[in-house]
Every structure is written in C-alpha cells, then in structure tokens.
Amino acid sequence: MSEIIKVQKLRKTYKGFAAVDDISFEVHEGEIFGMVGPNGAGKTTTIECIEGLRKPDAGSINVLGLDPQADNKILRTRVGMQLQQSNLPDRMKVWEALDLYSAFYANPVDWKSLMQQLGLEEKKDSRFGKLSGGQKQRLFIALALLPNPNLVFLDELTTGLDPQARHTIWDLVRSVRDQGKTIYLTTHFMEEAERLCDRVAILDHGKIVALDTPQALIRNLSQNERVSFTLDVSITSDIQNAFSSLGKLEVQGDKLTIIGKSTDSAQLVTAVVNLLSGMSLKYRDLRTEQPTLEDVFLDLTGRQIRE
C-alpha cells in the first residue's frame, strides 16, 4: 500500500514548549486516517506542518512525494483543506464562494455538479451568514474538493454540530473516500474516529501514544466487559466493597458500573444479578457495554480536563 504522507521525527516548539515532540507516522493511499487527542495535544500543529502552513523545527515531511515547504505552490493544487477556523464573509452567497474559489485552480471540478452532490443546490443563493452549521461545513467540504485533490485535510470538521448534522457530514466524508481520495482528519469526538477512520493515531503531550485500527486499539485495551445499573438507594461504601470483588467500579450518582475481571459477559452479568439479589437491592436499567475507542482514549490520556 503506497504512502500518501510520510512524517519522520517531526518536532515543533513554541518558546521552549514542544507542541509536537519527535513523532513519526505514515498515511496510506485511500484510507481515512484520524488523529485524536486532548485539547493542546498537538493535533492542529501537526496537521498545519503537514499542510505547509507551519514550518517544523526538525524532522521531515513528505506529502504526495513533495516537501510541504519547498513545493507548497504545487502541493496546493493537489490537496484540499478544510481548516479549523474556516470562515467566509456573511454576505457571500454559496454559488459565489464556489465560483470564486474555483478560479484559484487551473483544472477545478465543475462547482455546479459539486454543489449538487453535496446537497447545496437549494441553498445556492443563500448568504453564508444564513446557513446552518451543517450547511456551512458542507460548503467547506465542497471548497476543499474544488481542485479535485488526491488528499483532503479535515480539521475538527463536526465541532459544534448537532447529532443529525454530524451524521450527515460523516456520510459525506465516506462518499469522498469512496471516490478514491485519501482523507486525513483531526477530531476530539471518539465516536467520530471510531466510525469513520481506518486507522487512528492518539496524540498526547505532543507524542503519539497509540496508532492502529480502532478495532485493534479497543481489542488491546486492558478493560473487559462492563455492566452498569441504577439503584433505588444511595451507593454506600458497603455496596461498593461488595461489588469491587467483580472488577473495577465507576460510580455516577445512583449508577454503578463494573468493569469486569472476566472476559465472559454472561458470567459477569450472572454474578452481578446474583449479588444484587443476595443483598436485596432493587435495580433498574441493567445493561452490558462493550469497550469503545473513548475508553482507549481515556486509558491512555487520563480523565483530567485540559484547556
């Protein structure tokens, strides 16, 4: 499988702080590659170095066989970019934006057909300031696709969107990949990375702490099955001590979650129900949960909030 992007020992510092600290990875042709991490982990700095928007302090970057710094003008005609802080004048109409941006490229995609493909035809005369969040993001994807790029960068594409709009954007991203294009995206939504990405790199404190398929990352997680339920009484220390024999506990109000020591889900559920019955505890909303990419993320990066 050919490499679209090859990054080796990339480093970028700001006033002595290493935002990106000696990372190496490759992005393969035709895949959706995701980079996830907490706020301040270095995701945007990394993608901006790859795009040629920032100059790295050390390391090498190869994108489509080109150097993003030395070959920036050529590279701009072969990649599409949706930046985290993308914006347009509020009074600019959808068709005006597409028409204007298409003039920047020697051989652009027909913007009228692109507008139709992305469901923007009914909004072609609408001004940017009047579009919903999802419509604005569809427009930004259309602008990124105008040069008919081999590679598309999407930086925090669905931030601020409601669930319906987010799922619509996910379908669009998959359709772009199905056209034979390679996609590099950053996101802090673990569900988004798990559903969309063929491979995911988890970045923390400027370093890659894991890189694999979402399925492999989840499979290698030390956590096993989870069983959660809600009690009609307060969860006392005696209750916690009783259930701690079954695994690690997480308490949220009157909800108790057991991360089991056993890999057998049925065995763990049976043990939980038997213990609830033996202690005469009334419960509701008993359910089993499989580990997710969010569990991997939290296991690797911790639970503290970062600003």
Side-chain angles (χ1 to χ4, degrees):
M1 188 177 295
S2 60
E3 297 169 350
I4 291 290
I5 298 172
K6 187 174 181 65
V7 175
Q8 293 182 299
K9 297 185 177 300
L10 176 64
R11 184 175 177 83
K12 180 65 179 178
T13 60
Y14 300 103
K15 297 181 180 180
F17 171 74
V20 179
D21 192 4
D22 196 36
I23 66 172
S24 301
F25 63 95
E26 299 88 30
V27 177
H28 302 146
E29 183 178 8
E31 75 173 339
I32 300 178
F33 180 88
M35 180 164 279
V36 303
N39 293 335
K43 304 186 301 296
T44 296
T45 298
T46 300
I47 196 173
E48 288 180 350
C49 286
I50 296 171
E51 292 168 334
L53 301 177
R54 292 187 186 273
K55 186 176 181 179
D57 297 325
S60 65
I61 303 173
N62 186 289
V63 181
L64 299 172
L66 301 169
D67 182 324
Q69 294 295 319
D71 306 313
N72 190 263
K73 288 185 178 180
I74 300 173
L75 196 58
R76 290 293 180 90
T77 66
R78 298 181 59 189
V79 303
M81 300 182 192
Q82 171 272 325
L83 304 179
Q84 188 174 353
Q85 300 298 327
S86 298
N87 215 337
L88 290 170
D90 282 347
R91 294 182 61 81
M92 181 175 281
K93 295 179 180 179
V94 168
W95 76 265
E96 289 174 332
L98 290 165
D99 186 49
L100 174 63
Y101 276 70
S102 67
F104 298 161
Y105 307 107
N107 298 295
V109 174
D110 176 23
W111 63 262
K112 293 180 181 177
S113 64
L114 197 58
M115 184 170 60
Q116 185 175 23
Q117 290 172 23
L118 296 186
L120 290 168
E121 197 167 33
E122 291 183 358
K123 294 293 180 179
K124 65 180 179 180
D125 292 318
S126 297
R127 300 188 187 279
F128 179 77
K130 298 295 185 181
L131 299 178
S132 68
Q135 290 163 352
K136 287 179 179 179
Q137 295 297 56
R138 274 187 276 160
L139 177 56
F140 289 135
I141 292 176
L143 295 176
L145 294 177
L146 276 174
N148 194 21
N150 305 93
L151 171 65
V152 182
F153 292 100
L154 305 174
D155 192 8
E156 300 287 0
L157 181 64
T158 61
T159 298
L161 299 187
D162 61 57
Q164 185 178 32
R166 187 175 297 132
H167 281 262
T168 299
I169 296 298
W170 291 352
D171 289 339
L172 285 175
V173 172
R174 292 187 189 98
S175 70
V176 171
R177 191 268 306 275
D178 292 343
Q179 296 172 26
K181 303 184 186 304
T182 304
I183 297 172
Y184 180 116
L185 65 85
T186 69
T187 181
H188 64 273
F189 291 115
M190 294 304 104
E191 183 186 4
E192 181 166 284
E194 185 173 343
R195 291 198 181 201
L196 279 183
C197 297
D198 299 297
R199 290 189 305 135
V200 173
I202 298 179
L203 196 66
D204 192 30
H205 295 296
K207 293 182 178 292
I208 293 177
V209 295
L211 199 169
D212 211 326
T213 65
Q215 297 76 18
L217 291 171
I218 293 168
R219 189 166 56 247
N220 293 333
L221 184 64
S222 58
Q223 295 178 4
N224 295 316
E225 298 292 335
R226 302 162 67 97
V227 174
S228 65
F229 53 85
T230 302
L231 291 176
D232 293 334
V233 296
S234 298
I235 299 176
T236 63
S237 58
D238 288 340
I239 293 175
Q240 292 186 47
N241 290 336
F243 283 94
S244 64
S245 63
L246 302 181
K248 181 180 176 182
L249 304 185
E250 291 181 355
V251 180
Q252 293 177 306
D254 56 358
K255 178 182 177 181
L256 183 63
T257 300
I258 299 109
I259 303 170
K261 296 177 181 178
S262 170
T263 57
D264 186 337
S265 176
Q267 186 180 48
L268 179 60
V269 171
T270 300
V272 167
V273 171
N274 287 342
L275 192 51
L276 285 167
S277 299
M279 298 179 70
S280 301
L281 293 171
K282 293 183 178 180
Y283 62 92
R284 50 193 162 84
D285 300 328
L286 179 74
R287 64 184 67 188
T288 60
E289 302 170 5
Q290 298 290 333
T292 66
L293 191 60
E294 183 170 343
D295 294 311
V296 177
F297 178 81
L298 293 173
D299 185 63
L300 292 170
T301 66
R303 293 175 177 272
Q304 67 272 24
I305 297 173
R306 301 185 191 174
E307 301 296 340

